[in-house]
Amino acid sequence: MSSEPPIKRPKITENEIDKFITGIMTAEKNLQAILSDEYDKPIPFVKVFVGTARDPKELSKIIQVLNDKIPLKELSHLKRVRKKEVLLCQSQHLNVLTQETIQEYIEHNSPELKDSFQYFREIDVPLTPPKLRRQYLECNSKMWSVNFHPDKQLERLFSDSFFPEYDLKLHRTFMSLVFETAYWYLSKHTKVELQDLFVGINIAVVVDPPRRSIVAIGLDNRQGHPLQHAAMLAIDNVAKTQNGGAWDADGAKNILSGINLDLMMHLKERYRQVMFGAKQYLEKNEIREGSKSDSPYLCTGYDVYLLREPCLMCAMGLVHARAKRVFFAVDNEFMGALKSKTKLQCVESLNHHFDVFTGFL
């Protein structure tokens, strides 16, 4: 039996690239931050016993005894008292083998409180502290009083207005420049078809945010070398602006200040408002003793704009290069390391982390 013929994808024309660029520049929605899954997952719960105090005037004494005899180290994010009720212990702390009751548990661990409670009940409380205000409000209103210290930066990342309008326009400009670079690249490579824009290639543009200047561009060269992905070449081209760099590949030839000269001329014509070039790099022996050098180190403080979500190798390369923020337009369903398959930026054990944003299309 013959196999089905391959599906023919329509070619992407220059006009369609212009449509993508127009769509990026005119979109009104803010960008989406890619954050740890823990913020989207429901907060886990644990069963605890609470007791209603017979005499509310004794609450201070009750709390003092409980904190000394039955501390709640693992539930320190919870308030011990809510109105007349007192949080006593996790249900699992009772001896299930002897079918110990909560009254017996209190008498055994803090006998001075054996007559302090009118009755007991078992409830569910948050096992971990809330990280977002919406989680806090849900826990505080429906379950038990929770201690909460909001992280203003985190709350803004989860809002629909993280970037102000002016910054958002800049980010969209740099991402549209990524698409323009992709079309320029494809027009120079006859072996790569235009329909491979979202599958077969990637483009990386490195920007110095304070100067709003393009420092380096990486043009995908996987056809010539398996390691020369766009992000890896962009990092190497940044190193070229700092008297370093290792590669002289097809995608990195004719480099001055980290950018292909022909491409720079093309982009300067299309993006007259954009600056190009890295800030001055100083060797150690050029830095005066006692002065604070502003000499860059790889991608420290730089933003990286990618056509597609990077793979694990490229994402780890951006970690080691100390990128500040990473932006991408298209998900990498099969190999994406910042959203689709994993979220490398959320691995706590790494010694550097960057923020990740998408939502351009």
Side-chain angles (χ1 to χ4, degrees):
M1 185 171 59
S2 62
S3 59
E4 294 183 4
I7 299 174
K8 292 184 178 180
R9 292 172 294 175
K11 289 189 176 183
I12 297 175
T13 65
E14 185 175 6
N15 287 337
E16 288 173 306
I17 293 289
D18 288 337
K19 288 180 181 179
F20 280 120
I21 292 174
T22 300
I24 289 171
M25 293 303 300
T26 58
E28 296 181 356
K29 64 179 181 179
N30 218 288
L31 300 181
Q32 172 195 357
I34 306 300
L35 302 167
S36 174
D37 293 336
E38 65 180 314
Y39 301 117
D40 296 319
K41 291 179 180 178
I43 293 180
F45 300 112
V46 63
K47 290 189 177 298
V48 299
F49 279 105
V50 297
T52 300
R54 293 182 184 276
D55 185 359
K57 296 179 181 179
E58 295 291 317
L59 282 173
S60 296
K61 173 190 171 184
I62 291 172
I63 296 305
Q64 186 176 358
V65 173
L66 287 175
N67 286 341
D68 182 46
K69 301 290 184 64
I70 313 177
L72 292 176
K73 295 180 181 179
E74 68 277 19
L75 297 177
S76 60
H77 56 283
L78 300 177
K79 294 184 178 180
R80 195 98 202 208
V81 178
R82 184 171 184 174
K83 297 181 180 179
K84 291 175 60 177
E85 286 191 309
V86 181
L87 202 161
L88 302 173
C89 68
Q90 291 191 37
S91 302
Q92 64 185 17
H93 290 174
L94 274 63
N95 192 329
V96 295
L97 296 178
T98 62
Q99 295 186 335
E100 183 182 34
T101 66
I102 183 61
Q103 178 64 42
E104 293 169 337
Y105 180 83
I106 294 295
E107 291 178 3
H108 175 74
N109 290 279
S110 52
E112 58 267 64
L113 300 180
K114 65 184 181 68
D115 298 322
S116 297
F117 300 101
Q118 199 170 12
Y119 52 83
F120 306 95
R121 69 188 181 109
E122 191 177 27
I123 64 171
D124 290 320
V125 296
L127 178 61
T128 57
K131 292 180 171 59
L132 297 172
R133 183 166 180 79
R134 60 176 172 78
Q135 295 174 330
Y136 161 71
L137 292 174
E138 182 178 356
C139 296
N140 213 44
S141 62
K142 297 182 180 179
M143 300 148 199
W144 193 261
S145 299
V146 182
N147 296 311
F148 178 65
H149 304 285
D151 183 326
K152 293 182 179 179
Q153 173 74 357
L154 190 60
E155 294 291 341
R156 287 182 61 234
L157 283 170
F158 268 91
S159 71
D160 293 329
S161 57
F162 178 74
F163 289 112
E165 185 176 351
Y166 179 74
D167 287 347
L168 187 59
K169 184 178 180 180
L170 279 176
H171 295 312
R172 292 192 174 280
T173 296
F174 288 127
M175 185 56 73
S176 72
L177 186 143
V178 169
F179 274 75
E180 182 64 36
T181 301
Y183 183 79
W184 180 91
Y185 169 87
L186 290 172
S187 68
K188 303 295 182 182
H189 289 69
T190 56
K191 293 182 180 179
V192 185
E193 297 292 342
L194 287 182
Q195 65 263 36
D196 290 329
L197 178 65
F198 293 147
V199 179
I201 69 162
N202 204 351
I203 300 294
V205 174
V206 183
V207 174
D208 183 353
R211 300 173 67 246
R212 302 190 189 103
S213 177
I214 295 177
V215 175
I217 297 178
L219 306 175
D220 204 325
N221 190 47
R222 283 174 292 169
Q223 297 87 1
H225 192 295
L227 298 181
Q228 289 178 355
H229 295 206
M232 300 298 286
L233 281 170
I235 294 169
D236 195 64
N237 289 343
V238 171
K240 286 180 171 65
T241 72
Q242 301 169 14
N243 299 339
W247 283 325
D248 184 20
D250 178 61
K253 284 180 181 177
N254 200 22
I255 289 294
L256 176 64
S257 300
I259 307 172
N260 180 291
L261 296 182
D262 294 337
L263 172 59
M264 185 190 294
M265 297 303 296
H266 174 78
L267 294 176
K268 280 187 173 181
E269 182 65 27
R270 297 294 297 268
Y271 293 85
R272 297 178 183 272
Q273 76 277 28
V274 173
M275 295 178 60
F276 292 82
K279 56 188 173 184
Q280 183 182 9
Y281 175 76
L282 299 175
E283 298 284 358
K284 288 185 179 180
N285 58 5
E286 296 177 302
I287 301 174
R288 290 183 300 174
E289 187 176 352
S291 67
K292 292 184 177 180
S293 169
D294 192 31
S295 187
Y297 170 74
L298 288 181
C299 295
T300 300
Y302 290 166
D303 291 339
V304 181
Y305 296 81
L306 293 150
L307 176 66
R308 298 174 64 224
E309 179 186 2
C311 67
L312 190 59
M313 177 185 72
C314 292
M316 199 64 199
L318 292 169
V319 169
H320 287 303
R322 301 293 191 270
K324 179 183 178 181
R325 296 180 295 193
V326 177
F327 301 80
F328 68 88
V330 182
D331 292 357
N332 186 343
E333 179 183 353
F334 301 105
M335 297 173 58
L338 302 182
K339 177 187 175 186
S340 301
K341 286 298 183 182
T342 188
K343 295 179 179 179
L344 188 71
Q345 72 276 21
C346 300
V347 177
E348 292 185 5
S349 60
L350 294 179
N351 62 358
H352 176 75
H353 299 86
F354 45 69
D355 292 329
V356 178
F357 299 92
T358 188
F360 289 90
L361 297 175

